[in-house]
Amino acid sequence: TAPWLPKLSYDIMQNQKISYYNPDLKYNALIHTDNLGMFIKNILLMDKKWNGTYVLGSEGEMSIIDIMNFLKYKLSSKSDFVKTEPKEINRCHLVDISKAETVREVLSKYVADMRAVKGGKH
């Protein structure tokens, strides 16, 4: 299956009916590619050899339904959301981040990227 955020975004851009479950589940495990690139660059430029473990994600959290509504609003979609029963165990989780952009900031950058791919159309 496709990663959930790109699939959700595509379906919302296409004004599709979206089935969802666990609307109150909190999520922050996302990072924009610009920030990931800066992270990798900084690791490569370190004087010391890298031997640490890092968790990447966004500061704060948003519920799944809030993320869906945020994308629907930002992408000017007419999608309908229909609550369903889960088909599988949801593996979504929160990560503890001390120096990160907020979920809304990362999602806003993501939406800008989606609009650029779409050709600037709303």
Side-chain angles (χ1 to χ4, degrees):
T1 62
W4 78 275
L5 190 59
K7 176 159 181 15
L8 172 65
S9 301
Y10 178 80
D11 289 348
I12 286 175
M13 286 172 56
Q14 300 298 313
N15 297 309
Q16 298 292 316
K17 184 184 287 187
I18 312 289
S19 297
Y20 71 94
Y21 53 93
N22 295 331
D24 299 321
L25 193 68
K26 301 295 184 191
Y27 186 76
N28 73 344
L30 65 151
I31 184 171
H32 191 267
T33 54
D34 289 345
N35 298 93
L36 181 58
M38 286 187 326
F39 172 78
I40 292 169
K41 178 182 175 184
N42 288 334
I43 291 295
L44 294 173
L45 294 175
M46 288 175 69
D47 289 336
K48 301 177 193 173
K49 194 173 193 179
W50 177 62
N51 61 356
T53 301
Y54 296 88
V55 178
L56 304 177
S58 298
E59 179 183 350
E61 60 191 46
M62 286 177 73
S63 68
I64 298 300
I65 194 66
D66 286 344
I67 289 172
M68 293 171 64
N69 283 318
F70 182 87
L71 292 173
K72 179 179 176 178
Y73 173 75
K74 288 289 198 175
L75 293 169
S76 303
S77 174
K78 293 179 174 46
S79 287
D80 289 322
F81 299 149
V82 179
K83 188 173 180 183
T84 61
E85 291 299 315
K87 297 175 186 171
E88 56 189 38
I89 296 172
N90 194 322
R91 303 197 191 299
C92 179
H93 63 279
L94 292 174
V95 292
D96 183 16
I97 301 299
S98 60
K99 296 179 181 178
E101 290 183 321
T102 67
V103 174
R104 287 184 191 278
E105 290 168 331
V106 174
L107 286 173
S108 291
K109 287 181 178 179
Y110 177 75
V111 166
D113 292 346
M114 295 299 293
R115 285 189 173 152
V117 169
K118 190 177 177 184
K121 298 179 184 174
H122 297 256

